[in-house]
């Protein structure tokens, strides 16, 4: 599911916070750690991980 109007990466991964691309990562481990830490610190935010290889985003739930 591609989100129109976002500067989504063409490779790697990105953290999307409340509908805006915030940080890009080259590895799965990096994006997972970053997204889960962000969600843990700010559980009210909507945090998603975007995977450029499959052009899809998935929600991150609080740990």
């Amino acid at each position: 599911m591609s989100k129109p109007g976002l500067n989504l990466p063409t490779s790697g991964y990105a953290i999307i916070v409340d509908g805006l691309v915030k940080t890009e990562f080259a590895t799965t481990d990096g994006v997972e750690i970053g997204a889960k830490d962000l969600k843990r610190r700010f559980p009210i935010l909507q945090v998603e991980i975007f995977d450029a290889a499959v052009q899809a985003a998935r929600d991150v739930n609080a740990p």
Side-chain angles (χ1 to χ4, degrees), residues 1-3 8-12 49-58:
M1 159 181 107
S2 180
K3 297 182 182 269
L8 296 171
T10 57
S11 65
I49 294 175
F50 176 77
D51 183 344
V54 295
Q55 292 291 301
R58 63 178 175 81

Side-chain angles (χ1 to χ4, degrees), residues 33-52:
I33 291 168
K36 287 179 182 177
D37 182 56
L38 187 63
K39 187 67 174 182
R40 180 184 54 77
R41 290 187 296 139
F42 305 100
I44 195 83
L45 295 177
Q46 178 187 359
V47 179
E48 297 174 282
I49 294 175
F50 176 77
D51 183 344

Side-chain angles (χ1 to χ4, degrees), residues 17-42:
V17 179
D18 290 339
L20 301 172
V21 176
K22 293 297 183 178
T23 310
E24 295 183 24
F25 292 83
T27 66
T28 304
D29 290 339
V31 76
E32 289 282 342
I33 291 168
K36 287 179 182 177
D37 182 56
L38 187 63
K39 187 67 174 182
R40 180 184 54 77
R41 290 187 296 139
F42 305 100

